Amino acid sequence: MTVAEVVFYLLALLSVIAAVGVVTVPNVVHAALFLILSLLGVAGFYILLSSEFLALVQVLIYGGAVATIILFGLMLTGGRDLPAVGPGAQWPLALLVSGALVVLLLTAVLNTTWPRDAGEMTLISINTLGSVLFREWLLPFELASLVLLVALIGAVVISSQEERES
Amino acid sequence: MQALFENYLAVLLAAGTGCILVITAIIGAKLLAPYSPNREKATPYECGMLPIGRVRTQIHVRYYVYAILFLIFDVEAVFLFPWAVSLVQAGEVALYSMIVFILILGFGLGYAWKKGALEWK
């Protein structure tokens, strides 16, 4: 095994254990923390695939901001301790659906002929990405700021409405 | 390609060392510290006063605006990274477009400020 493979399997172990933790731990805040760990593991995969910028985005946006939003959302809704959720009356149906999904995905994975070698990875540095972004994709970049502005104003308006009602 | 991974070797080492440090600290605390739980120790800390309510209380919706603001400026920071690296190459256009980008988001921040969303009442 090469070093990259060892790192890959370590990261895979980390991400999968954390992902299983998200759906199995009883405390919902702990589940959110496991989610952060899983997302950071995915960031490691991006570095292993030599896309640094994507890893940066993963850590900053998913590991930072989205995790914050999820934790804040939990704190906003958790007025009292949430009732423990066990298997309900629908569990045979859920078992059927998830079993069918497993069969479908397994047949799809096994019947696909995967390329044996991905070939040489092309390294796109942040430098190249930046100059392409600011030369050819300037308008979508500026539009992104407008989308963010809409989100910001929407949040302010909604929260000020809530405040007036309460 | 190889150079990239060599750069991240330090990151990997730091992460590994950090994990080992935390795990040994936790195990050491478990082994060495005396363990005698009681009711008072389990109550949430509230500046020395008797705590009101439970540990998980519902926080005010005002905090959510801060979370959204953080998200938005985090996205802006993501755009700042390639901008800062390629500023010399991309030239003046990049500089002015980023100024416009920041001004648009700054307008949003000014709006939130004006509406009193950042104020503490």
Side-chain angles (χ1 to χ4, degrees):
Chain A
M1 270 208 292
T2 60
V3 179
E5 274 174 20
V6 173
V7 174
F8 172 80
Y9 283 116
L10 280 178
L11 281 174
L13 196 70
L14 179 80
S15 310
V16 170
I17 287 174
V20 170
V22 174
V23 288
T24 50
V25 289
N27 191 330
V28 73
V29 177
H30 294 171
L33 295 177
F34 267 122
L35 183 68
I36 297 172
L37 192 63
S38 180
L39 292 172
L40 290 180
V42 174
F45 287 131
Y46 287 141
I47 290 175
L48 211 57
L49 294 170
S50 69
S51 43
E52 277 179 299
F53 184 67
L54 218 51
L56 186 88
V57 171
Q58 179 81 9
V59 170
L60 270 178
I61 303 291
Y62 284 92
V66 170
T68 313
I69 291 284
I70 289 173
L71 285 172
F72 269 69
L74 287 179
M75 286 193 278
L76 276 170
T77 50
R80 61 213 168 287
D81 292 334
L82 298 170
V85 180
Q90 294 157 339
W91 73 266
L93 190 68
L95 188 70
L96 195 73
V97 170
S98 47
L101 199 63
V102 167
V103 170
L104 184 74
L105 285 175
L106 274 182
T107 44
V109 167
L110 292 177
N111 286 333
T112 311
T113 43
W114 300 99
R116 291 296 304 155
D117 194 6
E120 191 64 28
M121 278 189 287
T122 45
L123 180 72
I124 298 169
S125 65
I126 296 184
N127 200 341
T128 334
L129 193 104
S131 38
V132 170
L133 180 68
F134 290 105
R135 281 208 191 107
E136 286 165 39
W137 305 97
L138 206 56
L139 197 62
F141 167 71
E142 296 293 352
L143 278 177
S145 73
L146 285 177
V147 173
L148 292 173
L149 184 69
V150 169
L152 207 167
I153 290 175
V156 170
V157 167
I158 289 171
S159 71
S160 63
Q161 266 174 2
E162 295 254 318
E163 210 154 294
R164 234 173 287 134
E165 278 164 19
S166 62
Chain B
M1 190 65 58
Q2 205 60 44
L4 180 78
F5 293 136
E6 273 162 24
N7 283 341
Y8 280 98
L9 198 64
V11 178
L12 198 68
L13 277 177
T17 323
C19 285
I20 291 169
L21 205 69
V22 170
I23 289 167
T24 46
I26 289 172
I27 291 174
K30 272 260 159 65
L31 290 178
L32 296 174
Y35 182 67
S36 60
N38 62 39
R39 224 179 102 76
E40 257 74 65
K41 280 185 191 169
T43 52
Y45 182 71
E46 216 166 86
C47 299
M49 288 180 282
L50 279 178
I52 305 158
R54 311 201 53 163
V55 178
R56 292 199 54 209
T57 50
Q58 189 172 3
I59 61 163
H60 200 275
V61 71
R62 197 181 293 133
Y63 291 93
Y64 204 65
V65 182
Y66 285 86
I68 294 279
L69 274 173
F70 170 62
L71 175 74
I72 284 162
F73 286 98
D74 211 29
V75 174
E76 187 198 316
V78 162
F79 280 116
L80 278 173
F81 275 98
W83 175 76
V85 174
S86 67
L87 182 60
V88 179
Q89 271 186 18
E92 276 187 355
V93 186
L95 178 67
Y96 292 125
S97 60
M98 185 48 89
I99 288 174
V100 170
F101 186 85
I102 291 174
L103 277 180
I104 290 172
L105 285 180
F107 172 75
L109 183 64
Y111 173 78
W113 204 320
K114 192 107 202 309
K115 285 283 267 184
L118 303 178
E119 257 162 57
W120 219 249
K121 278 166 283 188

